[in-house]
Each structure stands twice: as C-alpha cells, then as structure tokens.
Amino acid sequence: MTGHRLVATDFGENHYGDPYRVELGANWLQKHNDATVLPDYENYLTYNETGEIEIDLWDAYDEADKVATAEAGRLLTDNVRDQSTRAGLALAGWNPEVDDMSAALVEWINFDWSIAVPHDYSSLIFNTAVENFTYGLLGDEEPFIVDSRGYNTIVSGEALTFLQPNDPRLLLNTIVTDISHSDSGVTVHNADGTCISAAYAINTSSLGVLKHDSVSYTPALPTWKSTAIQNFGMTTYTKIFLQFPTTFWPQDTELFYHADPHERGNYPVFQSLSHAAYLGVDSNLSSQPPQPNNRTASNAKPTQKPKPRSWPFSPRCSPTSPFPNPRLFSIRAGR
C-alpha cells in the first residue's frame, strides 16, 4: 500500500542543476516535526475569471457547520435516521444556489478537499464522527511534508526496527489467493503454492482487491463486513507540479483559491512551494495539491463576454526559454 500512497520523485531543478524532491502521493502528516511545515491557511488570495475577488461567505459556512455538527450528535444519540451532510447544512441555514460559484468554492475548501466527495454523497452522522475522531484524537494540525528524503522514509524507518536489508521475511511480488482463519490461527495461501501460518494476520488489502474478491476467505467474511466493504468507495486525487522561469505570483502568499465560473472543483487550489516556509523563494515551484476528481458542472451562464484572465495562473511560457531561476508551484487538480 505504501508503494501507491507514499511515492516521491525528482522534479525540476535548483540553481545548481539538482532536482527538488516532491511527493506524488500523500503530503500531509498528523504530527509536526522538523521535517514538516505548518501551512498558514489564513494566508491566501481568491480569484475567479475576472481576477482577484473577496468572498465573505466563510463565516456563514462555519456557523452552519457548527449547527449541523451538533445535530449529527443528536441524531446519533436518539437513533434517528441519518441524512446527507448537504441536508444537514441546508437545515442549519447554508443553502446557496447551485450556480453560486463563490459558495461552491467555500464548500470545496471546507469539505471536499478533505472528504473527497461533495456534501450530497456524505453521511452527516458518520462524517461528523470521522472529523471528531481525526481532529479530536490526533489534533487539528496538518503539517506539510518537506523532507527531501520523502514521506516513505517514515515507513522505511519503522521497517528497519524489525527487518534487515533483503530480509527473506518480506515477500515482495507475492500474490495472495486465499486466507484461512480460525480461533487457532491464520494461514495465508499464495499463488506460487507457498503459505504462511501465524497466530494473527493484519489484512491491508486495497478496497479494489476487497470488493472484487481477488482473495478468498475460509470461512467467508461475515455478511456485515462484506456489506461494509461494498458500501465503501474510493476517489482519485490529482496533484500537478509546475516550475516556471520566475515567481510571477505574490511570494508572501501560500495559497491561491480559484472559483471557476462553470465547474465546481475545477483547479480550485494552487499552493506556492516558492514560499519561504516550503522550498524557498528561489525554487519558482508551485503545485496544485491533491484534489479528488469529483468535479460537478454548474448551469451558470455568463451574463457577458468573459474578460481576459488577470489571475496569475495562465502564463504563456516559451518551451525553449531557459530556467535560470526556476520557480515551483503545486496545483490541486480538479476532481
């Protein structure tokens, strides 16, 4: 699983021609240390197709979210039927028009970015439970990994506490076909005819493997567990890294939000990695951080001919132009 979630790669180059190390997968950690940066989520600018704008809906969303969260607790305590987070927010006073793209951006930043699906498809009760568990138990900080060795260093370091280099106990490229389990232990059967027996086993198969019965279980999994597996879904996150000849965006700003006029969640977040807190002002690097690919179209129609974009994310750079002072930028791609 770490091979898919925790993957770093070289990207771009600095003044010395050396590449930067960027994370293709997960980029946030729940605990802060010397290899992380605490993002300043209050340090942002917001744009739409006309240029920089101000959105005054953030507090209204927060107030409705507090009311909906309290209502989720009541529904759970009283064993009342669940509802969607969308319904909970609407009943709490947050009910914008579907073509209000500023409100759509506020929703995306506050919800979709973390939960990966819109409010319409998320349980009010269980989403609240997950939020309470995650931030109540682990803390509300979400440090950003800037360790040049890569996020996977954490996993590798833990593995080295009980594994040796080329340890024969670590079986790579081994396909599991069946897991037999009982009160006396577990036996894992592999496609090559080998098997492993132990008192206990922890199964970290991906949801796709679990859903499509790629591994059989003897005895079969109980109905309640199979039902839970089939009810789960996964989304696709997209992250894009860009490097430019110069940093043409405000260097003291960390995040740039984009309210697309037609499509909810269409390239909504740009994160400046050229900020001094990340890879430095000389990196000219930016990214669109990981974003779930669940964009929804709006029926909003422009009332006038769109103005030329004045927001700083559509430069026309010559492919042959040199990169004497490369800048880095991270984009959270649309869902």
Side-chain angles (χ1 to χ4, degrees):
M1 292 181 68
T2 59
H4 294 85
R5 283 274 296 160
L6 306 181
V7 181
T9 190
D10 293 336
F11 178 81
E13 60 181 30
N14 59 22
H15 289 295
Y16 304 101
D18 298 322
Y20 292 96
R21 196 70 172 166
V22 297
E23 298 289 341
L24 297 181
N27 226 132
W28 275 261
L29 189 66
Q30 206 64 38
K31 294 295 182 181
H32 181 45
N33 57 43
D34 292 339
T36 63
V37 172
L38 288 175
D40 181 2
Y41 291 106
E42 298 300 320
N43 183 9
Y44 67 89
L45 294 175
T46 307
Y47 297 83
N48 64 9
E49 75 280 8
T50 67
E52 185 177 346
I53 61 173
E54 291 288 340
I55 295 179
D56 59 0
L57 300 172
W58 304 98
D59 290 342
Y61 180 93
D62 288 342
E63 289 303 314
D65 184 59
K66 291 176 183 177
V67 174
T69 297
E71 177 64 6
R74 186 193 70 80
L75 295 177
L76 181 61
T77 302
D78 295 346
N79 196 27
V80 179
R81 183 177 179 178
D82 196 6
Q83 57 190 238
S84 70
T85 307
R86 170 70 65 198
L89 286 171
L91 293 171
W94 175 265
N95 195 19
E97 298 291 338
V98 294
D99 58 356
D100 185 340
M101 305 314 286
S102 292
L105 175 64
V106 171
E107 291 183 353
W108 196 98
I109 297 299
N110 280 289
F111 194 83
D112 302 42
W113 194 354
S114 297
I115 306 303
V117 295
H119 302 78
D120 311 70
Y121 308 109
S122 177
S123 157
L124 177 62
I125 291 177
F126 288 97
N127 175 67
T128 300
V130 169
E131 291 280 304
N132 289 342
F133 175 83
T134 301
Y135 298 107
L137 180 65
L138 302 177
D140 58 2
E141 293 183 343
E142 294 181 326
F144 184 88
I145 296 286
V146 291
D147 193 327
S148 60
R149 298 170 299 173
Y151 199 158
N152 196 47
T153 300
I154 298 174
V155 178
S156 300
E158 287 294 319
L160 288 175
T161 63
F162 61 91
L163 291 176
Q164 302 297 322
N166 302 314
D167 198 307
R169 294 174 296 171
L170 178 61
L171 303 180
L172 301 176
N173 300 315
T174 302
I175 300 174
V176 175
T177 58
D178 179 79
I179 299 176
S180 302
H181 56 100
S182 67
D183 292 340
S184 59
V186 182
T187 300
V188 177
H189 301 270
N190 303 318
D192 60 6
T194 62
C195 64
I196 303 171
S197 295
Y200 300 95
I202 299 175
N203 186 353
T204 62
S205 300
S206 67
L207 185 60
V209 169
L210 293 172
K211 276 193 166 188
H212 293 91
D213 300 324
S214 300
V215 178
S216 60
Y217 296 88
T218 307
L221 295 178
T223 301
W224 67 265
K225 185 169 290 188
S226 297
T227 301
I229 290 172
Q230 294 302 328
N231 276 319
F232 268 99
M234 296 292 285
T235 188
T236 301
Y237 276 79
T238 303
K239 180 193 294 186
I240 302 172
F241 289 94
L242 302 172
Q243 187 174 39
F244 297 94
T246 60
T247 300
F248 54 85
W249 55 91
Q251 294 188 19
D252 58 350
T253 303
E254 290 191 31
L255 296 164
F256 301 85
Y257 297 152
H258 169 222
D260 188 276
H262 308 298
E263 193 171 9
R264 183 181 189 274
N266 187 31
Y267 298 100
V269 181
F270 295 77
Q271 180 181 19
S272 175
L273 301 183
S274 291
H275 190 277
Y278 296 92
L279 299 181
V281 295
D282 291 331
S283 67
N284 304 328
L285 181 68
S286 71
S287 78
Q288 181 161 28
Q291 298 168 38
N293 298 329
N294 62 347
R295 293 177 295 180
T296 54
S298 166
N299 60 2
K301 300 293 191 301
T303 57
Q304 58 184 10
K305 184 178 180 180
K307 299 178 181 179
R309 294 191 176 192
S310 59
W311 57 299
F313 304 118
S314 56
R316 298 185 179 276
C317 299
S318 168
T320 59
S321 62
F323 280 70
N325 190 20
R327 310 282 173 183
L328 298 179
F329 203 100
S330 171
I331 305 175
R332 285 190 181 261
R335 298 169 275 169

